[in-house]
Amino acid sequence: MLFIFLSFLIGLTIDMFLDSGGINAASSLCIAYARPVILKFSFGMQYEHQTMKFNAVEFGSKFTYIVLMTALHHLILFSLEIFSISRILLVFQKTLFSSIFTIILCVLITIIFSRESK
């Protein structure tokens, strides 16, 4: 419950600075609500048994988690921004290109900061 509230506050803060009318708060709140389901899908039994450490899991699971969360967030964000069923192709286009850029950045940051010293 705390995580959902904090994600709403982060989205609301972004909305206040961007004057975007609450779309960031709504998309942040939706992915916070969907996070347990996506974690269970991406990490499986490690998440269920609470033995998961993000740096210790395999790259494929991390990548699946990043892709699903990013795509869901961007889809909700651009759907609320455009809010027109006749422009659904524009929503998908913006979602695809923004998600690709964001996923590349997230994967690079994950690789840089998860290097284990030997």
Side-chain angles (χ1 to χ4, degrees):
M1 198 62 149
L2 178 65
F3 188 77
I4 292 174
F5 178 70
L6 290 175
S7 67
F8 174 73
L9 284 181
I10 289 171
L12 194 62
T13 304
I14 293 169
D15 284 328
M16 286 192 302
F17 284 109
L18 294 179
D19 194 28
S20 55
I23 60 174
N24 285 294
S27 58
S28 296
L29 190 64
C30 287
I31 65 167
Y33 185 73
R35 182 177 170 261
V37 175
I38 295 173
L39 279 170
K40 187 175 179 180
F41 175 78
S42 298
F43 299 108
M45 294 303 283
Q46 287 179 332
Y47 173 70
E48 281 188 25
H49 295 299
Q50 303 294 324
T51 60
M52 183 184 78
K53 300 252 189 259
F54 196 71
N55 286 337
V57 295
E58 62 186 38
F59 180 74
S61 298
K62 284 189 228 182
F63 186 72
T64 303
Y65 176 71
I66 290 170
V67 167
L68 289 175
M69 291 293 278
T70 304
L72 180 62
H73 177 269
H74 284 48
L75 182 65
I76 294 168
L77 181 76
F78 292 126
S79 295
L80 292 174
E81 178 185 346
I82 295 172
F83 206 68
S84 173
I85 198 72
S86 64
R87 301 184 72 193
I88 194 74
L89 290 176
L90 180 62
V91 170
F92 288 143
Q93 181 184 17
K94 288 180 89 168
T95 299
L96 177 68
F97 293 128
S98 294
S99 294
I100 289 171
F101 179 72
T102 305
I103 289 165
I104 290 170
L105 283 178
C106 288
V107 168
L108 286 175
I109 289 170
T110 301
I111 290 171
I112 290 171
F113 288 111
S114 68
R115 295 277 185 197
E116 294 181 19
S117 58
K118 294 182 180 184

